[in-house]
Amino acid sequence: MAQSDQETTSRWWEFYAVRYGMGSVVGGVIFFFLCKTNPILQPMLFSAGGTPGVIDGPVLALLAGYGLAYCYIASAPILVFHVARFLFEFGSKRGSSILRLIIGFAPPFIATVIFYFTNSSAGAVRHFFTMVFCLAALVVWPQYLAIIATLFKQKAFFSFYQKLANKRGKSTSDIVSSYKHMREHGNSFFIVILEIILAIILFAAGNFDFASTGVVSESKHIYAIPYVFIILIWTLPAALVWLVGTLFEREFSGV
């Protein structure tokens, strides 16, 4: 291993600090906001006995942990897109590229139109929830599409990573280091965007019943159920990356 590669490996923590540092802070703020806007989440701050409106040391420590967890959950789509980056071959075949764009973005917009005309809300509320549904569809659908395509196109997947490994061995360390730094800084800002999108989705889900009917349910726990389903749907493709990694291991380990 070259000296620069050894330095990069020994300083791996810098990439994680860049990737999750800003996202953890933003995630803590977002989580605090979600807790304050949904009564069922407020006990998670463990500040019921404290002074109202005051954020003390223990609460800050909790927010740091919650912020990191929220940041990691929100960044799940990035893992899926990173694994499936072999699918991004735009420019090589124009027809194929256009078809991929249609498959990737047409279904979310069609589903959004259907949601808009079937939603019983009216006025600004209707437009808001339609916008939220569109954001969710644009993030969730490409994830499932990418992970399914990766599982069914294993030959192309293995070939891409084999070529990548060969080219990395021939590339200068400065080039590899440059695009790694660009990607990590891009990941940091991408995570913040995903955190905001997920926060909007969770906020809308926690207030959908009240906004639609104007009535607050007697059972507060019903407002936590949408959160569970949203997190499951959001992270399932990333969980399937474990299967992709297992297939990858079997291919190149000779098992």
Side-chain angles (χ1 to χ4, degrees), residues 41-249:
L41 296 179
Q42 289 185 13
M44 296 186 70
L45 295 177
F46 297 99
S47 59
T51 304
V54 176
I55 303 178
D56 52 15
V59 174
L60 282 176
L62 280 172
L63 286 177
Y66 288 143
L68 178 59
Y70 180 83
C71 169
Y72 200 69
I73 291 173
S75 67
I78 299 178
L79 171 62
V80 177
F81 298 143
H82 180 74
V83 171
R85 66 189 187 276
F86 76 98
L87 297 171
F88 304 150
E89 297 178 355
F90 300 111
S92 57
K93 296 180 181 179
R94 186 174 182 83
S96 176
S97 299
I98 294 175
L99 180 61
R100 292 181 185 185
L101 286 173
I102 293 175
I103 296 175
F105 294 101
F109 284 114
I110 293 173
T112 300
V113 172
I114 295 174
F115 177 86
Y116 178 81
F117 287 105
T118 56
N119 187 6
S120 59
S121 303
V125 175
R126 185 181 190 182
H127 295 303
F128 172 72
F129 283 113
T130 301
M131 181 269 293
V132 173
F133 182 88
C134 183
L135 286 174
L138 286 173
V139 175
V140 171
W141 168 251
Q143 279 193 85
Y144 283 86
L145 192 64
I147 199 67
I148 291 173
T150 300
L151 290 171
F152 278 92
K153 292 187 175 183
Q154 294 181 29
K155 185 176 180 180
F157 171 72
F158 296 145
S159 176
F160 170 82
Y161 279 96
Q162 182 65 66
K163 292 178 181 177
L164 180 63
N166 294 336
K167 288 188 176 182
R168 273 186 177 176
K170 299 177 182 178
S171 300
T172 62
S173 59
D174 290 337
I175 293 177
V176 176
S177 177
S178 295
Y179 73 68
K180 281 186 176 181
H181 280 286
M182 286 188 288
R183 189 163 57 201
E184 290 307 322
H185 284 281
N187 279 339
S188 180
F189 290 105
F190 195 5
I191 287 173
V192 172
I193 293 174
L194 289 174
E195 284 181 314
I196 295 172
I197 293 175
L198 182 58
I200 294 173
I201 296 171
L202 293 174
F203 174 79
N207 295 276
F208 182 79
D209 187 51
F210 174 74
S212 301
T213 64
V215 178
V216 178
S217 174
E218 295 181 0
S219 176
K220 294 181 180 179
H221 296 280
I222 194 173
Y223 297 112
I225 296 176
Y227 287 179
V228 175
F229 284 103
I230 289 171
I231 296 300
L232 285 174
I233 293 172
W234 186 275
T235 59
L236 179 59
L240 291 176
V241 170
W242 178 88
L243 178 58
V244 175
T246 300
L247 295 173
F248 189 87
E249 178 188 37

